[in-house]
Short mmCIF file of all heavy atoms in Angstrom, two decimals:
data_model
loop_
_atom_site.label_atom_id
_atom_site.label_comp_id
_atom_site.label_asym_id
_atom_site.label_seq_id
_atom_site.Cartn_x
_atom_site.Cartn_y
_atom_site.Cartn_z
N VAL A 37 5.49 15.71 4.26
CA VAL A 37 5.11 14.58 3.39
C VAL A 37 6.31 14.17 2.55
O VAL A 37 6.57 12.98 2.33
CB VAL A 37 3.92 14.96 2.49
CG1 VAL A 37 3.56 13.79 1.58
CG2 VAL A 37 2.72 15.34 3.32
N THR A 40 8.52 12.06 4.64
CA THR A 40 8.02 10.69 4.82
C THR A 40 8.23 9.88 3.55
O THR A 40 8.56 8.70 3.60
CB THR A 40 6.53 10.67 5.22
OG1 THR A 40 5.79 11.37 4.25
CG2 THR A 40 6.28 11.28 6.57
N PHE A 68 -0.73 1.75 -5.45
CA PHE A 68 -1.30 2.01 -4.12
C PHE A 68 -2.82 1.84 -4.12
O PHE A 68 -3.48 1.96 -5.14
CB PHE A 68 -0.97 3.45 -3.65
CG PHE A 68 -1.73 4.51 -4.41
CD1 PHE A 68 -2.92 5.02 -3.92
CD2 PHE A 68 -1.28 4.97 -5.64
CE1 PHE A 68 -3.65 5.96 -4.63
CE2 PHE A 68 -2.00 5.92 -6.36
CZ PHE A 68 -3.18 6.42 -5.86
N PHE A 69 -3.32 1.54 -2.92
CA PHE A 69 -4.77 1.61 -2.65
C PHE A 69 -4.95 2.63 -1.53
O PHE A 69 -4.16 2.67 -0.58
CB PHE A 69 -5.32 0.26 -2.20
CG PHE A 69 -6.69 0.36 -1.59
CD1 PHE A 69 -7.79 0.70 -2.38
CD2 PHE A 69 -6.89 0.16 -0.23
CE1 PHE A 69 -9.06 0.82 -1.80
CE2 PHE A 69 -8.15 0.27 0.34
CZ PHE A 69 -9.24 0.60 -0.45
N SER A 70 -5.98 3.45 -1.67
CA SER A 70 -6.26 4.45 -0.64
C SER A 70 -7.76 4.69 -0.59
O SER A 70 -8.37 5.01 -1.61
CB SER A 70 -5.53 5.76 -0.99
OG SER A 70 -5.77 6.75 -0.03
N ALA A 71 -8.36 4.51 0.59
CA ALA A 71 -9.81 4.71 0.68
C ALA A 71 -10.16 6.14 1.04
O ALA A 71 -11.20 6.65 0.61
CB ALA A 71 -10.40 3.74 1.71
N THR A 72 -9.31 6.80 1.83
CA THR A 72 -9.65 8.16 2.27
C THR A 72 -8.57 9.20 1.95
O THR A 72 -8.59 10.31 2.47
CB THR A 72 -9.98 8.19 3.79
OG1 THR A 72 -8.86 7.68 4.53
CG2 THR A 72 -11.21 7.36 4.11
N GLY A 73 -7.61 8.83 1.11
CA GLY A 73 -6.69 9.83 0.56
C GLY A 73 -5.32 9.94 1.22
O GLY A 73 -4.42 10.56 0.65
N ASN A 74 -5.13 9.35 2.41
CA ASN A 74 -3.84 9.51 3.10
C ASN A 74 -2.70 8.80 2.36
O ASN A 74 -1.64 9.38 2.11
CB ASN A 74 -3.92 8.97 4.53
CG ASN A 74 -4.91 9.74 5.37
OD1 ASN A 74 -5.23 10.89 5.07
ND2 ASN A 74 -5.41 9.12 6.42
N THR A 75 -2.93 7.55 2.03
CA THR A 75 -1.89 6.78 1.34
C THR A 75 -1.66 7.36 -0.06
O THR A 75 -0.53 7.42 -0.54
CB THR A 75 -2.30 5.29 1.23
OG1 THR A 75 -2.73 4.84 2.51
CG2 THR A 75 -1.15 4.43 0.75
N GLU A 76 -2.72 7.83 -0.67
CA GLU A 76 -2.58 8.44 -2.01
C GLU A 76 -1.64 9.65 -1.94
O GLU A 76 -0.79 9.83 -2.81
CB GLU A 76 -3.94 8.87 -2.56
CG GLU A 76 -3.78 9.63 -3.87
CD GLU A 76 -5.06 9.74 -4.68
OE1 GLU A 76 -6.15 9.55 -4.10
OE2 GLU A 76 -4.94 10.00 -5.88
N ARG A 77 -1.79 10.47 -0.91
CA ARG A 77 -0.96 11.67 -0.78
C ARG A 77 0.53 11.28 -0.69
O ARG A 77 1.37 11.89 -1.34
CB ARG A 77 -1.39 12.44 0.47
CG ARG A 77 -1.43 13.93 0.25
CD ARG A 77 -2.18 14.64 1.38
NE ARG A 77 -3.61 14.54 1.20
CZ ARG A 77 -4.47 14.09 2.10
NH1 ARG A 77 -4.06 13.69 3.27
NH2 ARG A 77 -5.75 14.05 1.84
N VAL A 78 0.80 10.27 0.11
CA VAL A 78 2.20 9.83 0.25
C VAL A 78 2.69 9.23 -1.07
O VAL A 78 3.81 9.51 -1.52
CB VAL A 78 2.32 8.80 1.40
CG1 VAL A 78 3.72 8.22 1.46
CG2 VAL A 78 1.95 9.45 2.74
N ALA A 79 1.84 8.44 -1.71
CA ALA A 79 2.23 7.80 -2.98
C ALA A 79 2.52 8.86 -4.05
O ALA A 79 3.50 8.74 -4.81
CB ALA A 79 1.12 6.85 -3.45
N GLN A 80 1.70 9.89 -4.09
CA GLN A 80 1.91 10.95 -5.10
C GLN A 80 3.22 11.69 -4.83
O GLN A 80 3.93 12.07 -5.76
CB GLN A 80 0.74 11.96 -5.08
CG GLN A 80 -0.60 11.38 -5.52
CD GLN A 80 -0.68 11.08 -7.01
OE1 GLN A 80 0.28 11.27 -7.75
NE2 GLN A 80 -1.83 10.58 -7.46
N GLU A 81 3.51 11.88 -3.56
CA GLU A 81 4.74 12.59 -3.19
C GLU A 81 5.95 11.74 -3.58
O GLU A 81 6.94 12.24 -4.10
CB GLU A 81 4.72 12.89 -1.69
CG GLU A 81 5.56 14.07 -1.28
CD GLU A 81 5.09 15.37 -1.91
OE1 GLU A 81 3.87 15.63 -1.92
OE2 GLU A 81 5.95 16.11 -2.39
N LEU A 82 5.83 10.44 -3.30
CA LEU A 82 6.90 9.51 -3.67
C LEU A 82 7.12 9.54 -5.19
O LEU A 82 8.26 9.56 -5.67
CB LEU A 82 6.49 8.10 -3.22
CG LEU A 82 7.50 6.98 -3.25
CD1 LEU A 82 8.71 7.30 -2.39
CD2 LEU A 82 6.85 5.68 -2.76
N ILE A 90 2.96 5.75 -11.57
CA ILE A 90 2.12 5.45 -10.41
C ILE A 90 0.76 4.95 -10.90
O ILE A 90 0.26 5.42 -11.93
CB ILE A 90 1.97 6.72 -9.54
CG1 ILE A 90 1.13 6.46 -8.29
CG2 ILE A 90 1.46 7.92 -10.30
CD1 ILE A 90 1.22 7.57 -7.25
N GLU A 92 -3.18 3.34 -9.36
CA GLU A 92 -4.03 3.10 -8.19
C GLU A 92 -4.75 1.76 -8.31
O GLU A 92 -5.24 1.40 -9.39
CB GLU A 92 -5.06 4.24 -8.09
CG GLU A 92 -5.99 4.10 -6.91
CD GLU A 92 -6.88 5.32 -6.73
OE1 GLU A 92 -6.85 6.23 -7.60
OE2 GLU A 92 -7.61 5.36 -5.72
N ILE A 93 -4.81 1.03 -7.21
CA ILE A 93 -5.66 -0.16 -7.15
C ILE A 93 -7.06 0.33 -6.81
O ILE A 93 -7.30 0.86 -5.72
CB ILE A 93 -5.17 -1.15 -6.07
CG1 ILE A 93 -3.75 -1.63 -6.39
CG2 ILE A 93 -6.13 -2.32 -5.93
CD1 ILE A 93 -3.08 -2.40 -5.26
N PRO A 95 -11.11 -0.32 -6.31
CA PRO A 95 -12.13 -1.35 -6.10
C PRO A 95 -13.20 -1.25 -7.18
O PRO A 95 -13.58 -0.15 -7.60
CB PRO A 95 -12.73 -1.00 -4.73
CG PRO A 95 -12.37 0.43 -4.49
CD PRO A 95 -11.15 0.75 -5.30
N TYR A 99 -15.63 2.11 -1.86
CA TYR A 99 -16.01 2.03 -0.45
C TYR A 99 -16.71 3.33 -0.03
O TYR A 99 -16.17 4.41 -0.24
CB TYR A 99 -14.77 1.82 0.43
CG TYR A 99 -14.18 0.44 0.30
CD1 TYR A 99 -13.24 0.15 -0.69
CD2 TYR A 99 -14.57 -0.59 1.15
CE1 TYR A 99 -12.70 -1.12 -0.83
CE2 TYR A 99 -14.04 -1.87 1.03
CZ TYR A 99 -13.11 -2.12 0.03
OH TYR A 99 -12.58 -3.38 -0.09
N ASP A 101 -18.50 5.64 3.17
CA ASP A 101 -18.16 5.89 4.58
C ASP A 101 -18.71 4.78 5.47
O ASP A 101 -18.05 4.33 6.40
CB ASP A 101 -18.71 7.24 5.04
CG ASP A 101 -17.94 8.40 4.41
OD1 ASP A 101 -16.87 8.15 3.83
OD2 ASP A 101 -18.43 9.54 4.50
N LEU A 104 -16.69 1.71 5.48
CA LEU A 104 -15.38 1.82 6.15
C LEU A 104 -15.50 1.88 7.67
O LEU A 104 -14.49 2.04 8.36
CB LEU A 104 -14.66 3.09 5.66
CG LEU A 104 -14.27 3.10 4.17
CD1 LEU A 104 -13.70 4.47 3.80
CD2 LEU A 104 -13.27 2.00 3.85
N GLY A 142 1.70 0.54 -1.74
CA GLY A 142 1.18 1.35 -0.63
C GLY A 142 -0.27 1.04 -0.30
O GLY A 142 -1.08 0.78 -1.20
N PHE A 143 -0.60 1.08 0.99
CA PHE A 143 -1.97 0.77 1.43
C PHE A 143 -2.16 1.31 2.84
O PHE A 143 -1.18 1.52 3.57
CB PHE A 143 -2.22 -0.75 1.40
CG PHE A 143 -1.10 -1.55 2.04
CD1 PHE A 143 -1.05 -1.74 3.41
CD2 PHE A 143 -0.07 -2.08 1.26
CE1 PHE A 143 -0.02 -2.46 3.99
CE2 PHE A 143 0.99 -2.80 1.84
CZ PHE A 143 1.00 -2.98 3.21
N PRO A 144 -3.42 1.50 3.26
CA PRO A 144 -3.69 1.81 4.66
C PRO A 144 -3.69 0.52 5.48
O PRO A 144 -3.95 -0.55 4.93
CB PRO A 144 -5.10 2.40 4.62
CG PRO A 144 -5.75 1.75 3.44
CD PRO A 144 -4.66 1.48 2.44
N ILE A 145 -3.40 0.62 6.75
CA ILE A 145 -3.57 -0.55 7.64
C ILE A 145 -5.04 -0.62 8.03
O ILE A 145 -5.62 0.38 8.48
CB ILE A 145 -2.68 -0.41 8.90
CG1 ILE A 145 -1.20 -0.45 8.53
CG2 ILE A 145 -3.03 -1.51 9.91
CD1 ILE A 145 -0.69 -1.75 7.94
N TRP A 146 -5.61 -1.78 7.84
CA TRP A 146 -6.98 -2.07 8.29
C TRP A 146 -6.90 -3.25 9.24
O TRP A 146 -6.38 -4.32 8.87
CB TRP A 146 -7.89 -2.42 7.11
CG TRP A 146 -8.34 -1.26 6.27
CD1 TRP A 146 -7.93 0.05 6.36
CD2 TRP A 146 -9.30 -1.29 5.19
NE1 TRP A 146 -8.56 0.83 5.41
CE2 TRP A 146 -9.41 0.02 4.69
CE3 TRP A 146 -10.06 -2.30 4.61
CZ2 TRP A 146 -10.26 0.35 3.62
CZ3 TRP A 146 -10.91 -1.97 3.55
CH2 TRP A 146 -11.01 -0.65 3.08
N PHE A 171 4.75 0.02 1.74
CA PHE A 171 4.62 1.16 2.65
C PHE A 171 3.15 1.32 3.00
O PHE A 171 2.26 0.91 2.25
CB PHE A 171 5.22 2.45 2.07
CG PHE A 171 4.52 3.00 0.85
CD1 PHE A 171 3.57 4.01 0.95
CD2 PHE A 171 4.84 2.53 -0.42
CE1 PHE A 171 2.94 4.54 -0.18
CE2 PHE A 171 4.22 3.05 -1.55
CZ PHE A 171 3.27 4.05 -1.44
N CYS A 172 2.90 1.90 4.18
CA CYS A 172 1.51 2.03 4.62
C CYS A 172 1.32 3.35 5.36
O CYS A 172 2.29 3.99 5.78
CB CYS A 172 1.12 0.88 5.55
SG CYS A 172 1.82 1.03 7.20
N THR A 173 0.06 3.74 5.49
CA THR A 173 -0.30 4.78 6.46
C THR A 173 -1.25 4.12 7.46
O THR A 173 -1.95 3.17 7.14
CB THR A 173 -0.99 6.01 5.82
OG1 THR A 173 -2.25 5.62 5.27
CG2 THR A 173 -0.13 6.62 4.72
N SER A 174 -1.23 4.63 8.69
CA SER A 174 -2.10 4.08 9.72
C SER A 174 -2.24 5.06 10.87
O SER A 174 -1.47 6.03 10.96
CB SER A 174 -1.52 2.76 10.26
OG SER A 174 -0.43 3.02 11.11
N ILE A 201 3.87 5.26 7.75
CA ILE A 201 3.73 6.70 7.94
C ILE A 201 2.45 6.94 8.73
O ILE A 201 1.40 6.39 8.39
CB ILE A 201 3.65 7.44 6.58
CG1 ILE A 201 4.94 7.22 5.80
CG2 ILE A 201 3.41 8.93 6.76
CD1 ILE A 201 4.82 6.21 4.72
N SER A 202 2.53 7.73 9.76
CA SER A 202 1.35 8.06 10.55
C SER A 202 0.33 8.80 9.68
O SER A 202 0.71 9.64 8.86
CB SER A 202 1.77 8.94 11.72
OG SER A 202 0.68 9.70 12.17
N ASN A 203 -0.95 8.51 9.87
CA ASN A 203 -1.94 9.24 9.06
C ASN A 203 -1.94 10.74 9.40
O ASN A 203 -2.33 11.55 8.59
CB ASN A 203 -3.34 8.62 9.16
CG ASN A 203 -3.86 8.51 10.56
OD1 ASN A 203 -3.20 8.95 11.52
ND2 ASN A 203 -5.05 7.95 10.71
N ARG A 204 -1.45 11.09 10.58
CA ARG A 204 -1.35 12.53 10.91
C ARG A 204 -0.28 13.18 10.04
O ARG A 204 -0.45 14.27 9.54
CB ARG A 204 -1.04 12.72 12.38
CG ARG A 204 -2.26 12.51 13.27
CD ARG A 204 -1.92 12.60 14.73
NE ARG A 204 -1.09 11.49 15.18
CZ ARG A 204 -1.57 10.27 15.44
NH1 ARG A 204 -2.85 10.01 15.30
NH2 ARG A 204 -0.75 9.30 15.83
N GLU A 205 0.82 12.46 9.81
CA GLU A 205 1.87 12.99 8.93
C GLU A 205 1.36 13.12 7.51
O GLU A 205 1.59 14.12 6.83
CB GLU A 205 3.09 12.06 8.94
CG GLU A 205 4.01 12.23 10.12
CD GLU A 205 4.51 13.65 10.25
OE1 GLU A 205 5.03 14.19 9.26
OE2 GLU A 205 4.37 14.24 11.34
N SER A 206 0.67 12.06 7.04
CA SER A 206 0.26 12.06 5.63
C SER A 206 -0.80 13.13 5.35
O SER A 206 -1.01 13.52 4.21
CB SER A 206 -0.29 10.68 5.25
OG SER A 206 -1.43 10.36 6.00
N LEU A 207 -1.43 13.63 6.41
CA LEU A 207 -2.43 14.69 6.21
C LEU A 207 -1.81 16.05 6.01
O LEU A 207 -2.45 16.97 5.50
CB LEU A 207 -3.34 14.77 7.46
CG LEU A 207 -4.44 13.72 7.53
CD1 LEU A 207 -5.12 13.77 8.89
CD2 LEU A 207 -5.46 13.95 6.43
N LYS A 208 -0.56 16.19 6.38
CA LYS A 208 0.09 17.50 6.30
C LYS A 208 0.53 17.78 4.87
O LYS A 208 1.65 17.42 4.50
CB LYS A 208 1.31 17.55 7.24
CG LYS A 208 0.95 17.51 8.70
CD LYS A 208 2.21 17.54 9.52
CE LYS A 208 1.95 17.24 10.97
NZ LYS A 208 3.17 16.91 11.69
N SER A 209 -0.31 18.33 4.07
CA SER A 209 0.11 18.67 2.72
C SER A 209 -0.36 20.07 2.38
O SER A 209 -1.12 20.65 3.11
CB SER A 209 -0.46 17.66 1.73
OG SER A 209 -1.85 17.61 1.87
#
Side-chain angles (χ1 to χ4, degrees):
V37 178
T40 55
F68 72 95
F69 166 68
S70 180
T72 57
N74 296 338
T75 311
E76 174 163 19
R77 221 166 280 127
V78 174
Q80 294 289 2
E81 205 62 46
L82 191 59
I90 182 167
E92 180 173 6
I93 298 170
Y99 289 87
D101 289 347
L104 295 174
F143 47 83
I145 295 295
W146 284 6
F171 65 96
C172 75
T173 65
S174 75
I201 298 102
S202 156
N203 57 2
R204 283 176 292 282
E205 279 303 309
S206 62
L207 280 171
K208 292 179 191 164
S209 56

